[in-house]
Amino acid sequence: MFLRFSLTAASLALALAVSATASAAPQAKNPQQQRMTDCNKQATGKKGDERKTFMSTCLKGEAAAPAKMTQQEKMKACNADTKAKTLKGDDRKKFMSSCLSGGAAASP
């Protein structure tokens, strides 16, 4: 008799657990929640003010403007160009000045 009661109780507990799990299934996201998920994925790697600005424009549905190069990125690109063009001395100084001020293209 005790065994039959235990089996019945275990069956009932299992049935309740299965029904509770089925009702807790994730529901479809509304459009704003989906946009938030998508924007978060796209914002990977961005931090601070850059991320805030990106998330704001992304959540509004606006296209983000292309990011400006930082001074460090400009310096790196311009240095790579001078090496590719094998510039030295005054020629290198003139090129770097022009490149960093935006006068020269930062591509080899």
Side-chain angles (χ1 to χ4, degrees), residues 64-107:
K68 292 182 179 180
M69 289 178 76
T70 64
Q71 186 66 20
Q72 186 176 7
E73 291 169 334
K74 285 183 191 176
M75 191 71 141
K76 196 174 196 178
C78 292
N79 272 325
D81 286 351
T82 60
K83 288 179 184 176
K85 295 177 182 182
T86 62
L87 297 175
K88 296 187 183 213
D90 288 338
D91 290 337
R92 183 182 186 285
K93 285 181 185 178
K94 287 178 187 175
F95 177 81
M96 286 295 289
S97 177
S98 175
C99 183
L100 292 173
S101 67
S107 61

Side-chain angles (χ1 to χ4, degrees), residues 32 36 39-40 42-65:
Q32 183 64 20
M36 184 67 151
C39 290
N40 268 326
Q42 294 173 16
T44 303
K46 294 176 176 26
K47 294 185 180 187
D49 290 338
E50 180 187 14
R51 186 177 197 290
K52 285 180 186 178
T53 302
F54 174 81
M55 289 297 289
S56 177
T57 57
C58 183
L59 291 172
K60 290 176 186 174
E62 300 171 357

